Amino acid sequence: MPITTRSTMPSSTPAAEFFAAYLQDSVTQKLDLNAFVWPEGLRPETSSGGQFSNDVPEIDISAAMLAKNEGVRAAVAAKISKAAKEWGFFRIVNHGLPPDMMSRAERQAHKFFALQLDQKMRAAGSSSNPFGYAAAGPSRAIMRSWHETLYMLCNHARIDNLANKVWPVLAFHCSMALSDYTTAMNKLGLQLLELLLQGLGVDRNKLTRHYSVEGSSSARINFYPPCPKPDVTFGLPPHTDSGTLTILHQDAVGGLQVCRNGKWIGVQPKPNSFIVNIGDCLQVWSNNIYKSVEHRALVNSSRARMSLAFFYNPTDDTIVAPIKELTSAKTPAVYKPFSWAEYRLYAGTHKSKVLNAIDHFKVRQ
Ligand SMILES: O=C(O)CCC(=O)C(=O)O
Ligand SMILES: [Fe+2]
C-alpha cells in the first residue's frame, strides 16, 4: 500500500503513544503524528536494518596519544588528515579512554529517557535556551523527527544543574558520569584538532587558545525510540554539524548514515570506537580542504537506539576564518570572518530549513 503524507502512523505502539502524549502536552503546539511523515522524495529510502558498511576509514590513534616520536605522530596525523579531506568522517580506535566511561554515561542517559514525560519536561529547554530536554526535533523544522534529546553545555556546574532539575535526590551519579565523559571528550577533541592541523602543515597549536574547558563545547545525547514506520521519517534528518569536530559514540543498534558521493552509507557500530566528523567551523578554518559532510540518523521498528554526540566548539568570541597559511592567490579565502557565537545563532535558526547554512558566510565572488 503506498504511503502518502496523509497516511496515519499506527497509534497503538508505545513509541507512537509516547509521541502522541508529547505532542498533546500543553507546553507544545498540538501536532498530529502525520507531522513525522516526510514528503515522498525526501524520506529515507530504507530503514537502517542491516545495511552497514565498514568503508569509513578506521584509524588507530594509540601511537599519536603516546608518542614522543614526531615521526610516528606525523604518520597518524597524515592518515587523519587524508580521511578528513576525502570523507569528512573517520573512526578512531585504541584511543585509550576507559570503556566503562561510555557505559556509565549511557546507563545514566537510559535512566533519564525512561522517566515519565512530565519528569523529563522539568529539564526542557525553551525558545531562548536550546539546552536541556527536547523531543521530536525543533518545532520550526519542516517535519518532525523521531527523536528525544538531552542537550547540554559541557561544564560541570551546568550539567549538575540540569541533573538536579530532574532528580534532586539522584542527580549525583548522573552528573558525575556525564561530567567525566565531557571532560574526557574535551581533551580528546583538542588532541584530534592538533593532529588535524598538523596534517595540514599548520602549527598544531595555532587554534588552542580558542578552546577551553569552560568554552562552548556541547554534548547531545540522542535517543531514538522504536518507530512504527521507519521508512517515512528520520531520527535526525540530513544535516552537517556546526562546530569544529564531532566525536560520536553510538550503541550496537546502528542507524548513522554518511553521505558519500551522493550515496548514503550506514556506519557499522563497533565497540570502543568513536566516529569523528568535521564540522562547518573546521571546514571554514581549513578553507574547504576538510569537508563538513552531511549525515543523518535512521530509526527502526524494533530497537531503541542511543548515541552520544560531543561537539567540540571554540569560545563564543572566537573569530572563525580561513587560516592564512591555507590561502593563496590560487586558493583565496572562501569565507568571510565571523564569530562562533554569530554562527551558532545563525545555524540554530536556519539549519532546520537550509542544508548548507555555512554558505551564507561565503565571500561573494
Ligand atoms: O545518532 C547519530 O548517529 C547521529 C547524531 C548526530 O548526527 C548529531 O547528534 O548531530
Ligand atoms: Fe550530526
Side-chain angles (χ1 to χ4, degrees), residues 220 222 224 236 239 241 248 256 295 297 305 307 309 311:
R220 177 154 74 186
N222 301 303
Y224 309 97
L236 277 180
H239 66 281
D241 292 342
L248 184 90
L256 170 65
H295 53 286
R305 169 171 183 259
S307 71
F311 304 110

Side-chain angles (χ1 to χ4, degrees), residues 1-43:
M1 190 184 72
I3 300 156
T4 69
T5 45
R6 293 311 307 161
S7 71
T8 45
M9 292 246 195
S11 57
S12 55
T13 67
E17 273 163 24
F18 167 82
F19 275 114
Y22 166 76
L23 294 169
Q24 276 151 28
D25 194 280
S26 57
V27 299
T28 65
Q29 293 166 279
K30 286 200 171 163
L31 287 171
D32 66 31
L33 285 170
N34 287 313
F36 292 92
V37 181
W38 285 64
E40 269 174 275
L42 294 179
R43 299 171 186 173

Side-chain angles (χ1 to χ4, degrees), residues 197-231:
L197 291 175
Q198 184 173 353
L200 290 173
V202 170
D203 173 4
R204 73 166 102 128
N205 298 312
K206 176 114 193 149
L207 301 175
T208 308
R209 68 181 190 287
H210 297 303
Y211 291 83
S212 77
V213 177
E214 299 301 306
S216 65
S217 291
S218 56
R220 177 154 74 186
I221 307 185
N222 301 303
F223 183 72
Y224 309 97
C227 175
K229 286 211 179 290
D231 50 338

